[in-house]
Amino acid sequence: MAVETKEYRAEARFQRVSPQKARLVLDLIKGRGIQEALETAQFTKKRIAPVIHKLLTSALDNAKYVSGEQGIDLDVDNLYVKQALANDGPRMKRIRPAPMGRAYRYQRRLSHIIVSVAERDGGSSQLVTRAEEPAAKTAKKTAAKKTAAKTAKKAPAKKPVAKKKASK
């Protein structure tokens, strides 16, 4: 029977930042341990970074609270950022004055940011990776060498030139 890992999440909705800019910070913390992710968000020089730091703290507090309520034994040092998303929110349509009495329309983008943390199965504090990656890379390399050896054409063997017999 497989042990199901519990996810704890926190959301920050209607944030005044484009999802593309929020994803720049979220990609830095995705898959990292909770302590490392908090430090990364704290020292990142982006305007949305303090919001993401607060969101990570909220997800950590949610994990502590829910595990305490449900009686789940939770190792806080073993938590990692399982999912970090920035989805589109509604767009605010705005108008900017333009030359000759015209107006240019532009959109202010909003985003909904979701962070979920989960407990890591192993005890390592490294990035979460699949165990098959090193074996898959070596298997691909050996398969590539075999196919290259098979497809490499050998130079055709030269036939010996037969001497013509002189007629008498």
Side-chain angles (χ1 to χ4, degrees):
M1 186 169 96
V3 177
E4 189 175 312
T5 59
K6 187 114 171 105
E7 257 183 66
Y8 309 96
R9 58 185 263 160
E11 290 185 26
R13 303 190 70 205
F14 303 103
Q15 296 300 309
R16 287 283 304 264
V17 67
S18 70
Q20 182 179 4
K21 291 178 183 178
R23 285 185 198 116
L24 291 174
V25 179
L26 292 173
D27 288 342
L28 293 174
I29 65 168
K30 207 178 291 184
R32 298 195 182 272
I34 192 73
Q35 191 61 39
E36 188 180 355
L38 283 167
E39 290 170 3
T40 303
Q42 185 176 4
F43 294 111
T44 301
K45 292 188 175 185
K46 292 283 185 184
R47 189 174 62 91
I48 194 64
V51 175
I52 292 175
H53 183 270
K54 190 174 180 180
L55 199 59
L56 277 168
T57 307
S58 178
L60 180 62
D61 291 342
N62 289 343
K64 289 177 186 175
Y65 177 77
V66 171
S67 64
E69 286 287 314
Q70 295 179 353
I72 300 171
D73 186 30
L74 180 71
D75 184 15
V76 177
D77 297 331
N78 210 13
L79 288 177
Y80 74 102
V81 180
K82 185 173 183 179
Q83 187 179 34
L85 295 174
N87 294 324
D88 280 337
R91 295 180 179 186
M92 298 187 295
K93 278 77 173 181
R94 297 291 182 258
I95 295 174
R96 166 181 242 150
M100 298 175 66
R102 288 191 287 258
Y104 292 146
R105 294 190 67 192
Y106 65 97
Q107 296 177 348
R108 295 243 184 232
R109 288 171 168 78
L110 300 178
S111 59
H112 302 312
I113 303 171
I114 301 168
V115 173
S116 61
V117 297
E119 196 168 6
R120 186 174 282 136
D121 293 336
S124 65
S125 62
Q126 298 292 327
L127 287 172
V128 177
T129 55
R130 291 183 297 197
E132 296 86 41
E133 281 185 20
K137 285 181 183 178
T138 55
K140 285 181 184 178
K141 286 181 184 177
T142 55
K145 287 180 183 177
K146 288 180 182 177
T147 56
K150 287 181 182 177
T151 57
K153 293 184 179 179
K154 294 181 181 178
K158 292 184 180 179
K159 294 181 181 178
V161 179
K163 294 181 181 179
K164 294 183 181 178
K165 292 183 181 178
S167 56
K168 291 184 185 178

